[in-house]
Amino acid sequence: MKEPVDILQSHGIAPTPMRILVLRCLMDSDRTLSLRELEEQLHPADRSTIFRTLTLFEREHLIHCIADGGGAVRYEACHSHHHAVCDDRHVHFRCVQCGRTLCLPQQRVPSIDLPVGYSMYHADYVVTGVCAACSQQEDGK
């Protein structure tokens, strides 16, 4: 896996300490993270600085945002191979029991045939249900 400094530089982004911390936090996570979760992990970092960093990362296709269907916006490191567009479109799963939103990178977002003249910039595909960990807890009761 590439280091955050190399990834930032390859996207033309200056690798400041905060940008490195935010990107590393997202890359090391096994799930999507909300702004609040990032704040907690990066305490005492300023919320507005973290948000500006996330905005920059999204604009440069380093991360993508997921509206998880539960009212929260969540962030995930993008594994895109292009700097101009995000080609890492995969399904996300929101567990109604534990509240986590997980990535399902092997499950690609289905292709959508849009009418002539329409251009797609982004697609959220969130499946809601019970995750494997919560299912196992239910079975063990």
Side-chain angles (χ1 to χ4, degrees), residues 67-128:
D68 73 359
V73 174
R74 307 192 66 81
Y75 303 92
E76 173 188 30
C78 191
H79 304 288
S80 178
H81 302 291
H82 300 286
H83 303 304
V85 297
C86 179
D87 64 353
D88 183 24
R89 293 191 178 118
H90 58 267
V91 173
H92 294 88
F93 187 93
R94 185 174 67 85
C95 180
V96 296
Q97 286 190 346
C98 66
R100 294 182 348 151
T101 300
L102 307 161
C103 300
L104 304 176
Q106 276 63 37
Q107 302 295 319
R108 307 304 298 167
V109 170
S111 171
I112 299 171
D113 291 326
L114 294 173
V116 173
Y118 287 72
S119 298
M120 181 173 75
Y121 292 123
H122 180 77
D124 285 331
Y125 198 98
V126 180
V127 176
T128 304

